[in-house]
């Protein structure tokens, strides 16, 4: 069996709520303080996972993190029992409690940057955990992300999981959301494109929103993942589109094998980058969406590019989109024009992910792409792989533990902390993870 790309989706957590924590993410800010539905959010994600698994695309699950993060609240001076810590944070600093309760780890495109074994000097699959240090609510994810990845990819003869880069601005790293891989068959050596927003020492930066990924971080990740130097390409994101809400590269571009599907304004020096990829990637094809057909603002609003581009065995590709792209007349018209043209995209698959979308994450945000050989697939913890049984089990688990309504004020309820811990303790048993959460240790 050939190497395959396996998508590992994040399971939405029990404290999924809208707090507008992510400055620079237009959807996150727009939906601040609205009522969320964690149960629906989790079920929408599970439906996407199951549908893609049924369509023949291998699919795994990455569980949520423990929230609220009691350890970080204690670090910030809240004391007493765990319940008292929550109550004090709620009364004295509700925005800090909100950040410590964020379910943002569901967007596992930010969990790590992955290097397949075919690209690595030691022929292992490498994961470098992202530090996400531009946002407090995400910067606290790295230790648990590392523990969860080690529980899923636990065979150290096949996998190497690396801790996050230092938590300083110079090494701001947002994971696979700013990373693309090109090539022929998945098991062959490929070319990896690292997209950054700024160089640390440079004053050339977006004017309105922060550029979260640094060149220095991208270069460090390439070294840690043992990527061969000739297989790495570094390109700067267009600062003007960052200021329009393109906080990660995966909001303006998506790639698969030889194809790059992107907006014509995605990169700072796009013609030079495309020429470089043309030279390095046999059969390279750039599908550039013109501003005249779809504006950057419309692309951000519909998450057109925050889609999944998946290969079938016959070489054709399916584009997985949020329903917002279908509901926008201009974007949907463009997509059907694209479908009729001579390119590998032969099908559009639409999913309702509005609970995730309202917090600023679409289909591509919810998944981490991992290329695995047949032997490496066998080495993955089998309990996390999606099938009929796991789908039914996780839906029952969600029904038992998740609330169908949550506001920022509800985070003060100590019962939410107890519900979450009971749920995650059960989930570690269902997914054979061991004691990966702080409360279990």
């Amino acid at each position: 069996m050939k190497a395959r790309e396996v998508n590992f989706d994040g399971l939405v957590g029990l404290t999924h709520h809208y707090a507008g924590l992510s400055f620079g993410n237009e959807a996150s800010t727009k939906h601040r303080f609205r009522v969320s539905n964690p149960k629906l959010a989790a079920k929408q994600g599970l439906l996407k996972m199951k549908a893609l698994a049924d369509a023949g695309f291998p699919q795994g699950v990455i569980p949520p993190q423990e929230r609220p993060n009691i350890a970080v609240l204690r670090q910030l001076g809240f004391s007493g029992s765990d319940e008292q810590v929550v109550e004090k944070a709620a009364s004295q600093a509700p925005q800090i409690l909100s950040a410590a309760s964020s379910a943002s780890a569901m967007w596992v495109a930010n969990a790590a940057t992955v290097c397949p074994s075919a690209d690595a000097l030691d022929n292992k699959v490498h994961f470098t955990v992202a530090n996400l240090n531009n946002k407090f609510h995400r910067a606290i994810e790295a230790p648990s992300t590392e523990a969860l990845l080690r529980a899923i990819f636990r065979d150290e003869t096949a996998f190497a999981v690396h801790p996050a880069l230092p938590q300083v601005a110079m090494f701001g790293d947002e994971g696979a959301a700013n990373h693309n891989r090109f090539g022929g068959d998945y098991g062959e050596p490929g070319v990896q494109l690292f997209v950054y927003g700024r160089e640390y020492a440079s004053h050339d930066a977006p004017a309105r929103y922060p550029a979260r990924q640094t060149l220095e971080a991208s270069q460090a990740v390439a070294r840690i993942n043992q990527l061969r130097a000739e297989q790495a390409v570094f390109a700067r994101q267009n600062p003007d589109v960052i200021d329009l809400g393109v906080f990660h590269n995966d909001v303006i571009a998506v790639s698969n094998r030889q194809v790059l599907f992107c907006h014509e304004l995605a990169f700072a020096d796009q013609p030079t980058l495309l020429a470089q990829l043309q030279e390095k990637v046999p059969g390279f094809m750039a599908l550039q969406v013109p501003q005249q057909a779809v504006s950057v603002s419309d692309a951000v609003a519909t998450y057109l590019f925050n889609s999944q581009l998946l290969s079938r065995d016959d070489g054709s590709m399916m584009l997985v989109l949020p329903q917002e792209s279908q509901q926008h007349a201009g974007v949907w018209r463009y997509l059907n024009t694209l479908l009729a043209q001579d390119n590998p995209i032969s099908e559009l698959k639409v999913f309702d992910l509005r609970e995730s979308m309202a917090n600023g994450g679409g289909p591509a945000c919810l998944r981490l792409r991992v290329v695995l050989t047949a032997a490496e697939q066998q080495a993955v913890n089998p309990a996390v792989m999606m099938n009929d049984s796991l789908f039914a089990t996780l839906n029952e688990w969600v029904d038992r533990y998740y609330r169908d309504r949550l506001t920022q004020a509800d985070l003060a309820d100590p019962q939410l902390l107890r519900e979450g811990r009971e749920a995650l303790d059960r989930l570690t048993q269902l997914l054979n993870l061991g004691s990966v959460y702080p409360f279990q240790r």
Side-chain angles (χ1 to χ4, degrees):
M1 185 168 62
K2 288 184 177 181
R4 300 288 303 272
E5 179 185 86
V6 183
N7 284 284
F8 289 83
D9 275 41
L11 184 57
V12 180
L14 293 90
T15 56
H16 163 66
H17 68 285
Y18 301 129
L21 295 168
S22 190
F23 180 67
N25 181 329
E26 300 268 324
S28 170
T29 304
K30 178 182 176 183
H31 294 94
R32 188 181 187 191
F33 299 144
R34 295 195 185 181
V35 178
S36 68
N37 187 333
K39 180 179 290 188
L40 179 61
K43 285 180 171 284
Q44 286 175 345
L46 286 169
L47 280 171
K48 177 174 86 82
M49 295 183 224
K50 181 61 162 54
L52 294 180
D54 287 348
F57 303 104
Q59 180 72 55
V61 181
I62 296 179
Q65 298 196 7
E66 180 189 350
R67 293 292 181 269
N69 187 322
I70 299 298
V72 81
L73 291 175
R74 289 189 183 281
Q75 189 179 355
L76 294 173
F78 301 104
S79 60
S81 67
D82 288 353
E83 288 81 2
Q84 288 170 332
V85 165
V86 171
E87 289 169 349
K88 288 177 180 178
S91 64
Q92 298 173 32
Q95 193 70 357
I96 290 177
L97 176 61
S98 181
S101 302
S102 174
S104 56
M106 67 191 193
W107 293 309
V108 295
N110 302 118
T113 305
V114 184
C115 179
S117 56
D119 296 355
L121 291 167
D122 63 357
N123 298 311
K124 289 184 180 182
V125 182
H126 288 259
F127 303 80
T128 295
V129 174
N131 60 26
L132 300 168
N133 69 9
N134 189 262
K135 299 286 180 285
F136 167 60
H137 69 288
R138 302 225 59 182
I140 62 178
E141 292 173 13
S144 288
T145 297
E146 183 180 345
L148 288 167
L149 290 177
R150 290 187 186 279
I152 294 169
F153 304 99
R154 57 180 58 152
D155 184 344
E156 294 184 0
T157 65
F159 308 117
V161 178
H162 306 286
L165 298 177
Q167 284 284 11
V168 293
M170 176 183 285
F171 296 112
D173 176 30
E174 299 285 312
N178 287 322
H179 177 260
N180 301 267
R181 182 177 186 259
F182 298 94
D185 289 338
Y186 288 120
E188 296 175 354
V191 173
Q192 295 188 24
L193 171 62
F194 295 81
V195 183
Y196 63 94
R198 61 189 169 91
E199 288 186 60
Y200 180 70
S202 172
H203 297 291
D204 188 10
R208 182 184 182 197
Y209 289 142
R212 304 183 185 186
Q213 183 82 25
T214 66
L215 173 61
E216 291 82 359
S218 296
Q219 291 170 332
V221 170
R223 289 191 295 269
I224 292 167
N225 281 355
Q226 298 208 22
L227 179 63
R228 296 173 177 87
E230 67 275 10
Q231 292 172 257
V233 175
F234 300 92
R236 188 178 173 216
Q237 195 170 346
N238 182 350
D240 294 335
V241 302
I242 293 176
D243 280 337
L244 291 172
V246 182
F247 53 99
H248 292 138
N249 175 67
D250 67 3
V251 181
I252 201 74
V254 61
S255 69
N256 181 43
R257 297 178 71 173
Q258 297 101 329
V259 175
L260 173 63
F261 178 48
C262 68
H263 197 277
E264 69 173 350
L265 301 177
F267 303 97
D269 187 359
Q270 199 144 312
T272 300
L273 171 63
L274 298 184
Q276 193 175 6
L277 292 172
Q278 190 83 48
E279 182 181 328
K280 284 180 169 285
V281 182
F284 175 74
M285 177 185 295
L287 304 177
Q288 298 184 81
V289 180
Q291 171 79 354
Q292 188 174 3
V294 178
S295 69
V296 172
S297 294
D298 284 345
V300 171
T302 62
Y303 271 37
L304 165 62
F305 296 101
N306 195 247
S307 50
Q308 294 176 246
L309 195 53
L310 304 173
S311 282
R312 290 197 181 85
D313 291 338
D314 64 3
S316 66
M317 296 186 188
M318 179 170 76
L319 192 65
V320 175
L321 300 148
Q323 67 177 10
E324 284 78 0
S325 291
Q326 187 178 43
Q327 292 169 345
H328 187 288
V331 169
W332 193 245
R333 187 183 314 116
Y334 172 78
L335 284 166
N336 281 280
T337 301
L338 181 72
L339 208 59
Q341 294 172 354
D342 183 20
N343 63 66
I345 300 175
S346 63
E347 182 184 356
L348 308 176
K349 182 74 170 175
V350 176
F351 286 97
D352 176 2
L353 297 167
R354 63 184 182 275
E355 282 289 320
S356 174
M357 287 285 291
N359 231 344
C365 288
L366 287 164
R367 64 93 170 91
L368 184 67
R369 310 165 75 171
V370 186
V371 169
L372 299 170
T373 65
E376 290 159 356
Q377 289 181 58
Q378 293 297 315
V380 172
N381 176 354
V384 305
M385 299 306 298
M386 181 56 67
N387 53 37
D388 291 346
S389 175
L390 183 59
F391 180 70
T393 297
L394 290 179
N395 271 285
E396 290 171 2
W397 175 79
V398 169
D399 285 333
R400 178 176 177 183
Y401 293 107
Y402 278 59
R403 299 186 181 189
D404 59 12
R405 185 184 189 280
L406 200 69
T407 67
Q408 192 167 3
D410 295 326
L411 302 174
D413 181 4
Q415 181 59 27
L416 185 63
L417 171 68
R418 292 189 285 268
E419 288 171 7
R421 287 179 169 178
E422 183 183 345
L424 293 179
D425 194 49
R426 177 61 182 147
L427 186 62
T428 57
Q429 298 167 43
L430 297 175
L431 299 181
N432 189 25
L433 298 171
S435 298
V436 289
Y437 295 110
F439 73 90
Q440 295 175 314
R441 297 175 199 146

